[in-house]
Amino acid sequence: MDDHGHGSHCSGIIAAEHNNPYGGRGVLPNAQIIGCKFLDANGSGSTSDAIECLEYLLKLKNRPNNPVNIVASSNSWGGSENSEALKDAIKAHQDAGILFIAAASNDYSNNDLVDTYPSDYELSNVISVAASDRKDTKADFSNFGKHTVHVAAPGAEIFSTVLGDKYDTWDGTSMATPFVSGLAGMIKIKYPHYDYKQIRNLIISSGKIGRA
């Protein structure tokens, strides 16, 4: 489905096979990923289509026959629009026990002062992710925020899968977000009785805060 490359790079960070002859390895190589495409080849899309994707995942989680045990959604997208409809859709995921892991954005901006969505929604299932660099400090492009950004993960010079059976090195909080999403899945495997709050608390309490 990917005609841009961004989704392929993020997916590889989560689930690229280990011990392959090409390079790169995912956080959780046996993860099962559900793709829901709402951005076009230029990386643009509408909030209404994002909501439709969230509703699709919720239906899979709640369907009476063969429900899908969705632990988290990985959301390497965003903007400045504050949509109550989008917040309601994320809240519905919260009610269903699904984490919403979101990129903090790449404007070197304080999200406490300048809102960025969907990462800034004050919901108990949201984890807002900043990017760290190879020195384990905040990447120079990454947004931050003492109150709105919860954790940092590697997001600079990240080697992962791209279109055409290739690999490439990309930067961004988009790359940091799937690291945290893969970690959420890893925690769920280790502690299958944990609910979304316990997984979120473990990630945030043991990680780096996304500060300047």
Side-chain angles (χ1 to χ4, degrees):
M1 297 188 298
D2 187 12
D3 52 11
H4 179 274
H6 186 271
S8 295
H9 200 273
C10 292
S11 296
I13 292 169
I14 296 174
E17 292 182 357
H18 293 190
N19 301 318
N20 65 74
Y22 306 107
R25 54 192 298 171
V27 176
L28 193 62
N30 294 322
Q32 293 180 310
I33 295 176
I34 301 167
C36 189
K37 177 173 167 47
F38 74 94
L39 302 176
D40 63 21
N42 298 314
S44 298
S46 69
T47 301
S48 61
D49 288 341
I51 292 170
E52 188 174 344
C53 272
L54 293 177
E55 290 174 343
Y56 168 70
L57 294 178
L58 190 62
K59 288 178 181 177
L60 293 179
K61 175 87 172 185
N62 291 335
R63 66 188 183 187
N65 297 320
N66 300 315
V68 181
N69 184 22
I70 299 172
V71 176
S73 64
S74 189
N75 300 276
S76 293
W77 54 274
S80 59
E81 179 185 356
N82 183 1
S83 164
E84 283 300 317
L86 177 57
K87 184 177 181 179
D88 288 345
I90 299 170
K91 173 63 164 57
H93 276 219
Q94 174 185 294
D95 295 342
I98 303 172
L99 284 166
F100 186 90
I101 301 170
S105 201
N106 308 313
D107 307 309
Y108 187 67
S109 177
N110 187 339
N111 286 5
D112 291 353
L113 303 177
V114 180
D115 290 329
T116 298
Y117 297 100
S119 64
D120 274 12
Y121 288 121
E122 295 184 15
L123 294 167
S124 65
N125 63 328
V126 173
I127 302 177
S128 176
V129 185
S132 60
D133 60 20
R134 63 171 60 219
K135 297 178 182 178
D136 202 24
T137 59
K138 186 183 70 63
D140 56 7
F141 56 80
S142 178
N143 285 22
F144 54 94
K146 181 177 181 179
H147 302 291
T148 51
V149 179
H150 304 115
V151 70
E157 304 175 276
I158 303 302
F159 188 69
S160 186
T161 49
V162 293
L163 300 179
D165 296 325
K166 299 177 182 178
Y167 289 81
D168 200 2
T169 301
W170 289 20
D171 300 326
T173 56
S174 284
M175 286 61 256
T177 300
F179 274 104
V180 178
S181 302
L183 176 59
M186 187 181 297
I187 293 170
K188 186 66 174 178
I189 291 171
K190 177 73 173 178
Y191 305 104
H193 59 286
Y194 273 21
D195 62 18
Y196 81 91
K197 289 183 180 180
Q198 291 171 302
I199 295 172
R200 181 180 186 270
N201 289 341
L202 184 58
I203 290 172
I204 292 175
S205 64
S206 60
K208 277 187 174 290
I209 299 296
R211 296 177 182 172

